[in-house]
Structure formats: C-alpha cells, structure tokens
Amino acid sequence: ANFSLQQLLPGISTDDFLKKVNELNRDPGIHGIIIQLPVSDHLAKLDLPQLVNPAKDIDGFHGDNTIKLFE
C-alpha cells in the first residue's frame, strides 16, 4: 500500500485549499482522502465532510456515507 501525506500550510487560502481537495478528488490514482482535524479557523467554517468525494472518504464523514451506516 502506498501513502502520501499532503501537508498544507496553516495559512493556506480557502481557495487554494479547495483547489487542492478538488485536485485529489479528481486524481484517479488517489483512492482515499482524510482531512486531518483540527484545521485552521478560517477552514473550519467550511463543510469539510462534504468536500471529499464520498468514494474516497476514508473517515466516512461525508453525508452520503453517514446515511449508509443506517441503511
């Protein structure tokens, strides 16, 4: 199994953070994503669980994955 840590600077702009998450979501070579909490205050305002593609959501926090727990 391969692992790659993408450590982003605490002061990353919201736009750059969203671009990075979208880049990882679109990359077919990436099979799982975890957004490690806590994040900087300005990013904590985002709906973080919804940002990760549900198929790549390792934590299972995306709304679609949470619903599947109760089906």
Side-chain angles (χ1 to χ4, degrees):
N2 292 329
F3 169 81
S4 174
L5 174 64
Q6 301 286 317
Q7 190 169 4
L8 307 177
L9 296 174
I12 189 171
S13 72
T14 301
D15 286 342
D16 286 343
F17 176 79
L18 293 172
K19 285 178 190 176
K20 185 62 177 177
V21 172
N22 286 329
E23 174 187 312
L24 297 170
N25 278 330
R26 288 189 312 269
D27 186 336
I30 303 291
H31 302 286
I33 301 170
I34 296 173
I35 297 176
Q36 183 63 51
L37 301 177
V39 296
S40 299
D41 289 343
H42 69 288
L43 298 176
K45 298 172 184 171
L46 298 171
D47 191 1
L48 295 171
Q50 296 302 110
L51 295 179
V52 176
N53 178 331
K56 295 184 178 192
D57 176 22
I58 299 293
D59 287 323
F61 292 153
H62 189 283
D64 291 352
N65 293 331
T66 303
I67 290 169
K68 290 178 184 178
L69 289 173
F70 299 100
E71 290 181 334

